[in-house]
Amino acid sequence: MAVERMMHSQPMSYSSCSMPQRRMGGGLGVKKSAFLKKKADGAPSNSYSYSAECMDISPPPAQVQKIPPFVRLISLQNADGSWNLTPEFCSILGISEQDIINKNPDQNMDSSVWATVLAVIWLHASCLDQREEWELLEGKAISWLKAKAGSSLDQLVKAGNDLLKSSVNPNVFGL
């Protein structure tokens, strides 16, 4: 019977009221608006819902340069564990995109395989003291590489070490 009464009751109306804007970390401004449900008789109910409106999500340009290079690199990793060969990726490694392309020992292979090998080598050569912050990402990258690079992985690791002037042990890649 109560359900039947609810089905035949008048619909609720909504009114909007603004809540103060709050600044959250990283330059993210969030403005919340609360919507109060009103019963058919005009009295407010005890239900609230919130919606967030993003205002400014990009950090000021000066802050971009303060982000450590390894954080910038790991933020470029794709969900599948790979990295793409992009201008920002090349900038982090400190090598021109053309040099990276030219030094790829397997020009027929997808450039993301080469970029992922270089990323893992670079992390080991440049950021070993922060390893606990990136080792899980490395594991995902190596699993992806084993599936994509196949028998070329050994050759890619050697060429990557030459390009980055490093001597990361191929055992890192499970070779």
Side-chain angles (χ1 to χ4, degrees), residues 53-110:
E53 178 184 319
C54 292
M55 307 295 262
D56 175 21
I57 60 171
S58 58
Q63 286 183 346
V64 172
Q65 298 304 322
K66 293 179 184 177
I67 299 171
F70 85 93
V71 173
R72 290 175 45 218
L73 181 68
I74 63 176
S75 72
L76 295 176
Q77 188 179 33
N78 297 314
D80 63 6
S82 67
W83 273 270
N84 296 326
L85 189 57
T86 64
E88 185 173 1
F89 177 87
C90 298
S91 170
I92 294 166
L93 269 56
I95 302 171
S96 75
E97 188 170 358
Q98 196 57 51
D99 283 346
I100 290 175
I101 291 168
N102 291 341
K103 299 290 183 172
N104 183 345
D106 188 346
Q107 295 291 323
N108 296 321
M109 186 160 297
D110 182 7

Side-chain angles (χ1 to χ4, degrees), residues 68-71 73-74 89 91-95 117-131 134 160-161 163-168:
F70 85 93
V71 173
L73 181 68
I74 63 176
F89 177 87
S91 170
I92 294 166
L93 269 56
I95 302 171
V117 168
L118 294 174
V120 172
I121 291 171
W122 187 87
L123 287 168
H124 276 271
S126 303
C127 309
L128 203 52
D129 53 335
Q130 289 105 357
R131 182 172 186 170
W134 51 260
N161 271 325
L163 178 62
L164 296 174
K165 297 174 180 41
S166 62
S167 57
V168 173

